[in-house]
Amino acid sequence: MRTRLAIRLHGILERFFPERRLFLRSDTDTRFIRLKSSTQAVAFGGASLVLAWSIIATAVLLMDSIGSGNFREQARRDLETYQTRLNILSKERDTRAAEAVAAQERFNTALEQVSVMQSNLLDAETRRVELESGLEAVQLKLRDAIRAREEVRTELAALRTEIEDGGAALASSGEVDTTTLDFLSTALARTAEERDQVVADAQDALIRADEMATEIKLMEEKNDTIFRQLEEAMTVSVKPLDKMFEAAGMDADSILNQVRRGYSGQGGPLTPLSLSTRGEALPSEDVLRANRILNQMDRLNLYRIAAQKAPFAMPIKDSFRFTSGFGYRWGRLHAGTDFAGAHGTPIYATADGVVTFAGWQSGYGRLVKIQHEFGIETRYAHNSKLYVKKGQRVSRGDRISAMGNTGRSTGTHLHYEVRVGGKPVNPMIYIKAANDVF
């Protein structure tokens, strides 16, 4: 069986690979090498395997080269897209910053206008009080003039009666007393002049009273216009601030009460008006409106103070990009927000406060801690330089450090934290709340 199979296999090989002889001739001898069918088949198979391996390897290399080229091109496109997106975000941030500055300027201008309008309102109220007092004096003088006029009329009637009686007596007796007649004529003329003067004074008093009533009416209309403008200005100014503190998760009334208790600025909080022009037991409607506006202005002033004491500002004013936000990553809490920028970029305090730490701390590297009002603390980590020291009081916008790569950091950036009651919160809550308002 094996012989037949071997014979058949040998016949097949002979058909495709007939036996060949390779002759080697020299000067003195001739030799040959016999190439069997099996040897040729093995050599052919080996050469075929080498050729196939070469083709496959070349194809794999070509495909790998083409694929890597596509990957590099895709990575380059992704990088360009990412950089374009960063540039757009940077421009948007700059635009937001410019809008915030413009809004702050508008806010300051509105405060100045409100202050001027308040002064005008107080002047108008004082003028109205003076006009009312003058009107009362004119009315009193008018009453006196009318009373005097009536008295003069009574005296004139009595004199006329006496003259008529005296003239009749003289006529009946036939005696004329020239001196008595002259005296009576003079008295009558003087009485008539006084009567005419009293009537003229009364008419002037009535005209003046009408003019003062018209002036008071115009003053009331002007005051009403001023009141409406002040009320609208207060509504436009206070409501966004209410929303800003609510968006930051802060109880506005509690914050304002704390500011009011600790207020130490010049002038103090605004006090309500207590004007009473006619001895009224209850204040007038204008006084009530003025007090409501003053309360709103007091609230606006307290909001301004509170906004300076809470971290509603950006710690960086130069160009930067966000590299990591607040939240868990790799199973650990990233307790702040990272801002990447150029080495040495200035870092600014985001609110008024006191520096409680300025030095090296573990993974933070060079670190600045600032304690603010309302139990809020901010941290600025990985700095290259520190410009403040422990115990120093800083204001919003003061330069406190320079951006660096110290501590546990993979690149130059600022790690910014906000902690309330010792617990970390997302700093972007405060930043976005301020951006929505300013």
Side-chain angles (χ1 to χ4, degrees):
M1 188 66 180
R2 292 181 179 176
T3 304
R4 288 181 181 179
L5 183 59
I7 292 172
R8 183 175 297 176
L9 181 59
H10 182 72
I12 294 172
L13 290 176
E14 282 288 342
R15 186 185 308 168
F16 292 98
F17 301 100
E19 184 176 320
R20 289 180 173 82
R21 294 180 180 181
L22 180 61
F23 289 92
L24 301 175
R25 180 181 294 177
S26 64
D27 294 336
T28 59
D29 191 10
T30 299
R31 296 182 180 181
F32 66 90
I33 298 175
R34 187 174 64 179
L35 297 176
K36 297 181 179 179
S37 299
S38 58
T39 303
Q40 295 181 42
V42 171
F44 178 79
S48 298
L49 289 175
V50 171
L51 180 61
W53 178 82
S54 299
I55 293 172
I56 293 173
T58 302
V60 169
L61 290 174
L62 289 174
M63 292 176 64
D64 188 25
S65 177
I66 294 172
S68 62
N70 292 335
F71 286 142
R72 285 194 297 271
E73 184 65 22
Q74 182 65 31
R76 187 182 62 80
R77 289 196 298 268
D78 292 342
L79 180 60
E80 292 178 353
T81 303
Y82 179 69
Q83 290 177 345
T84 302
R85 179 60 178 166
L86 287 178
N87 293 332
I88 294 174
L89 291 175
S90 179
K91 291 181 180 179
E92 291 179 355
R93 178 189 59 79
D94 294 338
T95 302
R96 291 289 184 182
E99 291 176 354
V101 172
Q104 183 68 28
E105 293 177 354
R106 292 195 300 271
F107 179 73
N108 294 334
T109 304
L111 282 181
E112 293 176 358
Q113 293 177 351
V114 166
S115 177
V116 173
M117 294 174 73
Q118 180 192 7
S119 301
N120 294 336
L121 176 62
L122 294 177
D123 293 340
E125 185 66 22
T126 303
R127 178 62 177 166
R128 186 178 68 83
V129 172
E130 293 175 353
L131 289 175
E132 288 182 351
S133 301
L135 180 60
E136 290 179 356
V138 171
Q139 290 175 347
L140 181 60
K141 185 177 180 181
L142 178 60
R143 286 194 295 269
D144 294 339
I146 293 173
R147 186 168 54 253
R149 183 185 64 180
E150 295 298 329
E151 292 176 356
V152 169
R153 284 180 177 178
T154 303
E155 292 177 359
L156 180 60
L159 288 173
R160 283 179 177 176
T161 303
E162 291 178 1
I163 291 171
E164 290 175 356
D165 293 341
L170 290 172
S172 62
S173 61
E175 299 178 355
V176 178
D177 190 348
T178 305
T179 303
T180 303
L181 290 176
D182 292 340
F183 173 75
L184 292 176
S185 298
T186 303
L188 286 174
R190 185 172 62 252
T191 302
E193 290 177 358
E194 291 178 354
R195 181 196 63 185
D196 294 339
Q197 183 63 38
V198 168
V199 172
D201 291 341
Q203 291 177 349
D204 290 340
L206 290 174
I207 294 172
R208 180 59 180 164
D210 292 338
E211 291 177 351
M212 294 183 70
T214 302
E215 189 173 355
I216 290 176
K217 183 66 176 178
L218 294 175
M219 186 67 68
E220 289 177 351
E221 293 178 355
K222 182 178 180 181
N223 288 348
D224 183 67
T225 302
I226 294 175
F227 277 132
R228 284 200 309 270
Q229 291 176 349
L230 286 172
E231 289 168 349
E232 292 174 358
M234 289 300 99
T235 300
V236 171
S237 299
V238 172
K239 281 189 176 181
L241 294 171
D242 286 334
K243 293 181 180 180
M244 181 179 75
F245 279 89
E246 290 177 2
M250 304 172 71
D251 186 357
D253 292 333
S254 176
I255 295 296
L256 295 184
N257 288 334
Q258 293 184 43
V259 174
R260 187 177 287 109
R261 287 194 299 270
Y263 189 90
S264 61
Q266 292 184 353
L270 299 175
T271 55
L273 297 175
S274 58
L275 299 176
S276 179
T277 60
R278 299 179 182 177
E280 300 171 345
L282 296 176
S284 64
E285 181 61 26
D286 287 344
V287 173
L288 293 177
R289 291 180 72 181
N291 285 335
R292 286 194 295 268
I293 292 173
L294 288 175
N295 290 333
Q296 290 293 88
M297 293 180 66
D298 182 45
R299 188 178 182 89
L300 184 64
N301 185 45
L302 294 175
Y303 266 136
R304 178 183 60 81
I305 298 171
Q308 288 292 119
K309 297 178 180 295
F312 286 115
M314 287 287 294
I316 299 176
K317 299 179 182 179
D318 296 342
S319 299
F320 69 90
R321 66 180 186 277
F322 293 103
T323 55
S324 184
F326 180 89
Y328 283 89
R329 60 181 186 182
W330 303 310
R332 297 180 60 185
L333 176 63
H334 183 245
T337 300
D338 292 343
F339 303 86
H343 188 84
T345 298
I347 308 300
Y348 302 92
T350 55
D352 300 349
V354 178
V355 178
T356 58
F357 182 87
W360 187 278
Q361 181 174 327
S362 183
Y364 283 109
R366 289 190 177 91
L367 172 67
V368 175
K369 296 182 183 179
I370 301 178
Q371 184 65 45
H372 310 281
E373 297 289 339
F374 321 124
I376 300 176
E377 180 191 66
T378 54
R379 298 184 177 186
Y380 312 79
H382 307 310
N383 300 287
S384 60
K385 293 181 181 179
L386 304 180
Y387 302 117
V388 293
K389 58 184 178 180
K390 183 178 179 181
Q392 180 177 342
R393 180 171 293 277
V394 295
S395 301
R396 170 185 291 180
D398 288 350
R399 187 176 67 166
I400 58 174
S401 61
M403 186 182 295
N405 189 26
T406 59
R408 195 163 51 246
S409 170
T410 58
T412 301
H413 73 286
L414 166 68
H415 175 79
Y416 174 60
E417 292 186 12
V418 175
R419 294 175 178 258
V420 180
K423 297 181 179 179
V425 297
N426 190 351
M428 298 307 298
I429 293 176
Y430 294 88
I431 296 174
K432 289 181 179 179
N435 287 337
D436 293 337
V437 174
F438 299 118

